[in-house]
Amino acid sequence: MITEAQKQKIMGAIAANRANYPSDAKHAASLGISTSVYSAIKNGQTDKALSEGAWIGIARRLGVNLRADMEWKAAKTATFEYITAQLEFSQQSSLSAILCDIPNIGKTFTARYYVQNHRNAVYIDCSQVKTKLKLVRKIAAEFGVDAKGKYADVYEDLVYYLRSMETPLIILDEAGDLQYEAFLELKALWNATERCCAWYMMGADGLKEKINRSIECRKVGYTEMLSRYGDRYSKVTPDDGKEREAFLNTQARIVAKVNAPEGTDVAQIVRKTRGGLRRVYTEIEKLKMAAQ
């Protein structure tokens, strides 16, 4: 059962997310609710305003953790600053790019944080929408475009809206999980929104291997798609093993200093985690729970 405290937490996320949309109507559409219900929630009404399923759906859409969650602050690691700079440049210039790098360095956190703080930018987890239909409908829904009609209409409405917006940006995380037809549709969408919309694709090394292998096998669409995304793969971590180890440890140290309780032995956290940021989160969560 969704508690009143959880509803208030979701409402706070709704209020914070509103700045990313040009109108209440578009914001309501992106959340999958009517404008009348949106207005009621905006005015503080929670009782019987939405079903529990709808509350959960909005929480999922906005990344609200319904369990007790510790505060986590953004740390300006090299990954955070590099990806943020790339996203800002891409969005402002309506250019596209691909980032392929090792997991567990803060790519997803940075992308989500950017979207929370920049208008007309959306984040898509491609591992959850692997097919062409699901991907396009998800992008449409994130922008507040009706995603429930015929696919052809959803596609055309999305293209029309993207071409009419001011510097939209679409971040495609875990892009290596997309099916072939979805990749082809991304190429078509890029063509339809050229110079109007920025696309930023992210993934681990597997994404790079998938694209390169498909190009070597002369699979239709991949050479053209890579060209549209800048003809190169961006990367932030060093290739040299020792340099990479030092890079990861430095990132872990920066994150731990910002988020660990006062007096924590940060060096010990770095040694335990070997620079893996998910493990840094886990270790700090343990410390904070022990302190309660």
Side-chain angles (χ1 to χ4, degrees), residues 13-264:
I14 291 173
N17 188 240
R18 170 61 182 87
N20 293 347
Y21 293 84
S23 66
D24 285 356
K26 283 295 181 185
H27 193 206
S30 76
L31 299 174
I33 58 178
S34 67
T35 52
S36 59
V37 170
Y38 180 91
S39 179
I41 293 174
K42 190 175 181 180
N43 290 327
Q45 181 182 335
T46 58
D47 187 37
K48 298 180 181 179
L50 288 170
S51 67
E52 289 212 349
W55 281 113
I56 291 171
I58 293 173
R60 176 181 55 79
R61 154 73 180 79
L62 298 179
V64 178
N65 193 338
L66 296 180
R67 68 173 186 170
D69 199 17
M70 70 175 180
E71 180 187 8
W72 193 255
K73 300 174 184 176
K76 293 186 177 180
T77 63
T79 297
F80 182 90
E81 293 188 328
Y82 180 85
I83 293 177
T84 298
Q86 282 213 321
L87 292 173
E88 287 177 342
F89 179 78
S90 292
Q91 185 169 16
Q92 291 166 6
S93 307
S94 295
L95 296 174
S96 301
I98 301 179
L99 177 80
C100 294
D101 214 324
I102 62 175
N104 204 11
I105 59 171
K107 298 190 298 293
T108 296
F109 177 89
T110 303
R112 288 185 177 277
Y113 185 87
Y114 183 92
V115 167
Q116 290 171 2
N117 294 279
H118 289 79
R119 188 181 176 91
N120 296 340
V122 301
Y123 170 88
I124 306 294
D125 180 355
C126 296
S127 69
Q128 304 302 310
V129 286
K130 300 176 184 179
T131 67
K132 175 182 77 173
L133 271 64
K134 286 184 177 180
L135 174 65
V136 173
R137 290 185 188 277
K138 176 64 173 175
I139 295 172
E142 288 295 312
F143 280 111
V145 175
D146 183 8
K148 297 179 181 178
K150 292 182 180 179
Y151 177 76
D153 292 335
V154 173
Y155 182 95
E156 293 298 332
D157 287 348
L158 174 60
V159 169
Y160 175 82
Y161 189 60
L162 290 175
R163 291 184 64 85
S164 67
M165 294 177 70
E166 182 181 353
T167 60
L169 167 68
I170 300 167
I171 302 172
L172 302 162
D173 197 6
E174 304 289 356
D177 288 351
L178 291 174
Q179 294 180 4
Y180 177 52
E181 284 191 346
F183 269 102
L184 290 181
E185 201 74 335
L186 284 176
K187 187 188 77 169
L189 279 168
W190 191 99
N191 289 344
T193 60
E194 185 177 2
R195 299 189 184 90
C196 300
C197 179
W199 300 79
Y200 192 84
M201 193 178 289
M202 297 198 312
D205 292 337
L207 171 62
K208 179 179 178 180
E209 292 172 6
K210 180 177 183 177
I211 295 173
N212 286 344
R213 185 170 60 250
S214 298
I215 290 173
E216 289 172 5
C217 295
R218 299 187 179 181
K219 203 166 185 178
V220 174
Y222 279 89
T223 299
E224 298 92 330
M225 189 194 68
L226 180 60
S227 173
R228 285 156 175 76
Y229 281 76
D231 255 334
R232 61 185 292 269
Y233 305 101
S234 300
K235 186 179 182 182
V236 60
T237 57
D239 291 324
D240 179 79
K242 289 185 178 180
E243 289 182 8
R244 187 187 308 116
E245 182 182 354
F247 174 92
L248 296 176
N249 287 339
T250 298
Q251 287 211 139
R253 188 176 301 109
I254 292 170
V255 171
K257 281 184 178 180
V258 171
N259 289 284
E262 188 175 349
T264 298

